[in-house]
Amino acid sequence: MISVSEENREPETLIDECEALLRSERAFFETDPDFERHPLVPEPGSIEAQLFAVLIEESQPVIRLAEQFALWQEFCALRVQRFRDNLEVLSRTPIINGDLRNRLALILEGEHAISLADPNRDVRSLISYAVGCMFGRYSVDVPGLLDVDGDWNSYRYISFVPDMDGILPICDEECFSNDIVTLFVNWLEAVFGTVTLEENLAFVADALGGIGAPREVIRWYFLNSFYRDHLAVYGDRPIYLLFDSGQEHAFKCLVYVHRWQSDTVARVREKYVRAMQDRIDARFKDPRHGMDDPAALKAKADELQVYSDKLRGCEDMAVCMDPDSDAKVAYARLAEVLSPIR
């Protein structure tokens, strides 16, 4: 319900506020230049305060994602209502000034950009933010975009330390210490606390809409949907590359373009694909793995061998990745080993 005082506000004030609401809406998404941290992640104190907390061994946070989402939901609802109330008043207010009319027209074009909270959308974007933290693109301790020009500063990463290898494997089970699901669980624990870890994992899984144990649902999401969501956000200029061996899902991994190095392809093959090949060979020889389907294992082994050969062929290209150039030109040189970005 609009109060009398709202009715008496000047059109310019109402338009100013609508524009501010639209800007704030965009700033909650990581593609916006003003993005600082995900809205479900509580804002920490200063770096000094974080360091002090570590020194005195302060107890971990106890934060429930369900409660964070409820606060975010209430905030979004109030913001949407405020925006609609302003537009309703403006619709009944004669506006003579041409500049104000033009500004109002632009606001009306973006009217539906002001959105309510959505657990599925917001949890997927939370996972994207967490992956950014794994690569050092973001830090829960420092707002905004970090380390896009090779300016690595370990003091920015206190609550959660990024993966130093810059390669995050995505497998159908935990095969590496920097497995992306393992790191996501570690990130969730570091940011929201150990006490609430399991219920927070359940909240994430429920929001994703999967079936099964929370970790299984989250793994399925990384294997099958994360990169599709990433491309939906970034289009043909993704900031992560997905190395993908093929339809058997024998091996996948993410690489952050801003941490690309001339030996990245070689490291993917030597450190990860070869380890997966050794793992499958061991399963063929170990009777304890008698429950494995031999045909499925052989299909994965064959896919990995073909993929390893393709990676070896790409190593000689010494591909230089310039995130600021046309991504398609650079990615085309690695088309055989990457998931397509089209």
Side-chain angles (χ1 to χ4, degrees), residues 9-173:
R9 294 172 73 197
E10 291 293 329
E12 185 170 4
T13 302
L14 296 170
I15 289 173
D16 286 344
E17 189 172 274
C18 285
E19 290 173 336
L21 288 168
L22 284 170
R23 285 194 300 272
S24 70
E25 171 78 14
R26 293 190 295 268
F28 287 118
F29 296 92
E30 64 180 70
T31 51
D32 190 82
D34 294 326
F35 176 79
E36 294 191 345
R37 63 171 44 83
H38 193 274
L40 295 184
V41 174
E43 184 174 352
S46 64
I47 290 182
E48 291 77 11
Q50 291 286 333
L51 284 169
F52 182 70
V54 171
L55 290 173
I56 64 173
E57 298 181 349
E58 186 175 328
S59 60
Q60 282 194 327
V62 180
I63 303 168
R64 289 172 173 80
L65 260 176
E67 294 174 356
Q68 288 293 111
F69 181 77
L71 292 172
W72 168 242
Q73 194 172 36
E74 182 180 1
F75 171 78
C76 289
L78 291 171
R79 188 177 52 175
V80 167
Q81 189 60 53
R82 185 72 170 186
F83 189 78
R84 289 174 178 171
D85 286 348
N86 286 358
L87 289 184
E88 184 177 342
V89 174
L90 287 166
S91 70
R92 299 195 300 269
T93 305
I95 300 177
I96 301 173
N97 184 286
D99 180 58
L100 288 182
R101 283 204 306 271
N102 292 336
R103 289 169 61 190
L104 178 58
L106 290 174
I107 289 170
L108 292 174
E109 288 178 10
E111 178 178 357
H112 299 293
I114 298 289
S115 59
L116 295 170
D118 180 301
N120 184 272
R121 178 201 65 186
D122 298 333
V123 161
R124 286 171 185 250
S125 66
L126 176 70
I127 292 173
S128 177
Y129 176 74
V131 171
C133 292
M134 296 175 203
F135 278 123
R137 179 177 177 84
Y138 304 115
S139 168
V140 294
D141 304 303
V142 179
L145 190 62
L146 305 174
D147 188 42
V148 293
D149 298 311
D151 182 22
W152 185 272
N153 186 335
S154 60
Y155 293 107
R156 294 169 171 169
Y157 309 102
I158 298 169
S159 300
F160 180 84
V161 179
D163 175 63
M164 299 308 297
D165 195 34
I167 299 171
L168 300 181
I170 308 173
C171 305
D172 54 10
E173 60 183 351

